[in-house]
Amino acid sequence: MTEVVQVELGARSYEVRVGDGELARVGRVVASLPGVTSVVVVTDTGVPEAYPAAVSASLGEAGFEPRTVAIPSGEEHKTLATCSEVYDRVLSTSPALDRHSVLVAVGGGVVGDVGGFVSATVLRGVRFVQVPTTLLAAVDASVGGKTGVDHVAGKNLIGAFHQPAGVVMDVATLRTLPLAEFRSGLAECVKHAMIADESLLEFLEQRSGEIAAIEPTTMVELVARNVQIKAGVVSADERESGIRAHLNFGHTVGHAIETSSGYGSLTHGQAVALGMRVNCRLAQRRGLIGGEVLDRLDGVLTCMGLELRRAGLQPADLWEIMLHDKKTRAGRVTVILPRGIGEVSIVSDVQADEMARALSVLE
Amino acid sequence: MTEVVQVELGARSYEVRVGDGELARVGRVVASLPGVTSVVVVTDTGVPEAYPAAVSASLGEAGFEPRTVAIPSGEEHKTLATCSEVYDRVLSTSPALDRHSVLVAVGGGVVGDVGGFVSATVLRGVRFVQVPTTLLAAVDASVGGKTGVDHVAGKNLIGAFHQPAGVVMDVATLRTLPLAEFRSGLAECVKHAMIADESLLEFLEQRSGEIAAIEPTTMVELVARNVQIKAGVVSADERESGIRAHLNFGHTVGHAIETSSGYGSLTHGQAVALGMRVNCRLAQRRGLIGGEVLDRLDGVLTCMGLELRRAGLQPADLWEIMLHDKKTRAGRVTVILPRGIGEVSIVSDVQADEMARALSVLE
């Protein structure tokens, strides 16, 4: 079974294919794009070699002679310096990339972000096909066109919006994913359910066994449903001026927890899970929702193997980090608060003491 | 007198103001943009200090407290490394740039390209106001949204399309411009006339005395007319998939001459002037135009103080460089050929020997 989700963005529309064994079909997807002259595969050294190899074989069958560029693995390499190495490789070695070339990124979020940013900026933009091999990249980063690298002053501070020409997700790649990374992706699935789709929450609750077993049919449905939700939001607000902000549910607090804990000490999804709990408590204290919303969130997070608490957080430190969040404007910390399951709103008047009280839900 | 040219690009439309004394009005232009939180002025060490100082004073009167970042002067600094320094300055020093900040680029093409690329990529894009202080930047780079930096493999290989929020051109800045730089800009004016507007060619022929004297009213009219022509082309073809290629008249050959001569040994405009002559000869040999077109081009180039010939060019070397031009596809060199004054077409079947014969017009 292969599910195809359309991301509607006018002239920049594209398809996300989700299936079992899709790596073997990447060549056909690239061949379907008009006028492709050459193909470069970008991957990282942490991706099992079999994946870029399968993609290259598929591209070879489609008549291309792809080159592969492997960047070093890890968020610490998501930098302008790494991009610079990729530019060197694709521009200085023959045959050089031209404007009709396609860059195929095979890997997780870092590969997608670096490959996407290079695609956005080399020769002022070439086409880009994303082949996510992590659940987080599949349900989150592969839809939306956000590309970018980190700067010493913060994450993703240098980047561009650049929509892919296509996305191909092979759920078979999830079988080699470390458990913590898998759960990190599941946290974003919970987030999508909380902001937009109660029936997805029911799916997560009822199919948690199949999900934990990475059962292919279940995973195809899970990924496709999440892509559909994110695609809907992105289509309505490509440049993040309005409702796309809903996707930040749990992220302002989550990013602050990630930053204060040091990157790598917990996964992005785990941090977002904690952030969602804090936002539910904030909403509950404001009377926007009853306690049953937090209870249900806690239940599904537990089923997904995510932690509900984290010791040693310092509310004052977290607040200081939130004040410097990219989305904070004129000193007003912005958070997304639930108004029920599948419904949220943007709130910009949270105060430090209110936040500190809500953070106690993590103790 | 201030002329205002509208660049029509839907939601990305903006105004180009051209006048005498406009530096003092930059603050008002920035203040007219919605929700500006802070302003950074980017300039280079080769720009007379009085210009960024005047812009900062104007911004101060409008209620902003601009910071100034000066990059090193010269094309050799149009690199990712320079961008990296600017990112550091604007992100790591307080108050850090936010998404509602505006970057104002004061200077020539390098400042516009670097400032534009940083604007396109910092925080995935902030607004950008261009204040060109050279004729070339005013009539060429300030319209069209091309931003970028050089790579060891070639010029402008890393970049993005990012339209400015506004452009302010003060013709008084042209008085401090070195003569060769001034003439370089005039070559692009001749190009606009040749591809799109015979009446502009007449203007250049008839007003060459006032132009050489940098008479303000004449210069305002000259810049505004050129911006209007370029804006019309860019509006019709923002991403350079069709008629925007006409703006490359003289550029394939010109770039090759620049590259083979070593950058800096002749100006960009001077190289384009030579390229236009070669393209006229190509068109003449193909019977597309009579000899009077080249004669008229030669006349106006001479009036503008541009050279008609260049010794020591090697046709085989130039051809090799043209084969590696960014716009060359599948080994087919593309040139723009005149079909009369103000009319051109795109030709992709030029052969090496035909090019060599046409290059003899430069001997």
Side-chain angles (χ1 to χ4, degrees), chain A residues 78-148:
Chain A
K78 206 177 101 175
T79 60
L80 215 49
T82 299
C83 291
S84 206
E85 285 165 31
V86 181
Y87 294 133
D88 289 348
R89 286 287 302 279
V90 300
L91 292 174
S92 300
T93 58
S94 191
L97 205 78
D98 69 43
R99 288 187 175 182
H100 306 276
S101 301
V102 170
L103 193 151
V104 179
V106 181
V110 173
V111 168
D113 277 349
V114 168
F117 185 65
V118 168
S119 305
T121 54
V122 71
L123 308 181
R124 294 202 188 91
V126 300
R127 288 168 293 179
F128 167 52
V129 169
Q130 205 155 357
V131 184
T133 62
T134 69
L135 184 58
L136 185 62
V139 300
D140 187 15
S142 72
V143 182
K146 284 190 181 180
T147 73

Side-chain angles (χ1 to χ4, degrees), chain B residues 24 41 212 250 314 316:
Chain B
V41 174
Q314 302 295 329

Side-chain angles (χ1 to χ4, degrees), chain A residues 193-360:
Chain A
M194 291 293 293
I195 67 171
D197 186 357
E198 184 166 10
S199 75
L200 174 59
L201 201 70
E202 288 161 7
F203 180 91
L204 290 164
E205 290 165 340
Q206 291 160 10
R207 306 277 285 273
S208 62
E210 291 96 322
I211 292 169
I214 316 185
E215 193 279 308
T217 312
T218 302
M219 292 314 297
V220 169
E221 186 176 348
L222 178 66
V223 171
R225 288 183 72 150
N226 277 278
V227 166
Q228 188 71 64
I229 291 171
K230 179 145 189 194
V233 173
V234 169
S235 297
D237 177 23
E238 187 179 359
R239 299 301 291 247
E240 201 167 20
S241 45
I243 69 150
R244 189 161 172 176
H246 292 178
L247 294 167
N248 294 321
F249 178 49
H251 278 63
T252 302
V253 175
H255 277 154
I257 293 172
E258 274 187 283
T259 304
S260 77
S261 305
Y263 290 114
S265 79
L266 79 177
T267 65
H268 174 70
Q270 178 60 68
V272 169
L274 298 173
M276 289 192 285
R277 295 194 71 239
V278 173
N279 287 18
C280 279
R281 176 54 60 93
L282 270 171
Q284 187 185 350
R285 283 187 166 273
R286 285 188 174 209
L288 299 173
I289 54 170
E292 73 286 355
V293 174
L294 180 55
D295 291 343
R296 197 157 167 207
L297 173 65
D298 286 352
V300 76
L301 290 175
T302 302
C303 287
M304 297 299 122
L306 291 152
E307 303 288 334
L308 303 187
R309 297 172 197 285
R310 184 159 180 96
L313 295 173
Q314 302 294 329
D317 294 352
L318 296 176
W319 183 254
E320 190 57 32
I321 296 167
M322 289 181 223
L323 283 175
H324 291 91
D325 189 277
K326 205 158 46 181
K327 281 146 194 132
T328 295
R329 187 173 169 188
R332 292 165 74 91
V333 171
T334 299
V335 295
I336 311 300
L337 295 189
R339 328 238 1 157
I341 303 284
E343 197 189 342
V344 288
S345 58
I346 305 172
V347 168
S348 297
D349 62 352
V350 180
Q351 301 301 315
D353 55 344
E354 185 185 14
M355 181 61 80
R357 272 195 297 273
L359 279 163
S360 67

Side-chain angles (χ1 to χ4, degrees), chain B residues 75-197:
Chain B
E75 178 85 19
E76 69 272 25
H77 296 291
K78 205 177 100 176
T79 60
L80 216 50
T82 300
C83 292
S84 206
E85 285 166 31
V86 180
Y87 294 131
D88 289 347
R89 287 288 301 279
V90 300
L91 292 174
S92 299
T93 58
S94 190
L97 205 77
D98 68 45
R99 289 186 173 181
H100 305 276
S101 301
V102 170
L103 193 150
V104 179
V106 181
V110 174
V111 168
D113 277 348
V114 169
F117 185 65
V118 168
S119 304
T121 53
V122 70
L123 308 180
R124 294 202 189 90
V126 300
R127 286 169 294 178
F128 168 51
V129 170
Q130 206 156 357
V131 184
T133 62
T134 69
L135 184 58
L136 185 63
V139 300
D140 187 14
S142 73
V143 182
K146 283 190 182 180
T147 73
V149 297
D150 300 336
H151 181 270
V152 65
K155 286 182 70 170
N156 297 318
L157 292 182
I158 300 164
F161 284 94
H162 186 60
Q163 300 297 341
V167 177
V168 181
M169 170 63 192
D170 187 340
V171 298
T173 62
L174 299 177
R175 301 201 156 270
T176 54
L177 199 60
L179 188 56
E181 291 302 318
F182 184 63
R183 288 171 171 165
S184 180
L186 291 174
E188 293 283 351
C189 298
V190 172
K191 182 197 77 179
H192 286 145
M194 292 293 292
I195 67 171
D197 186 358

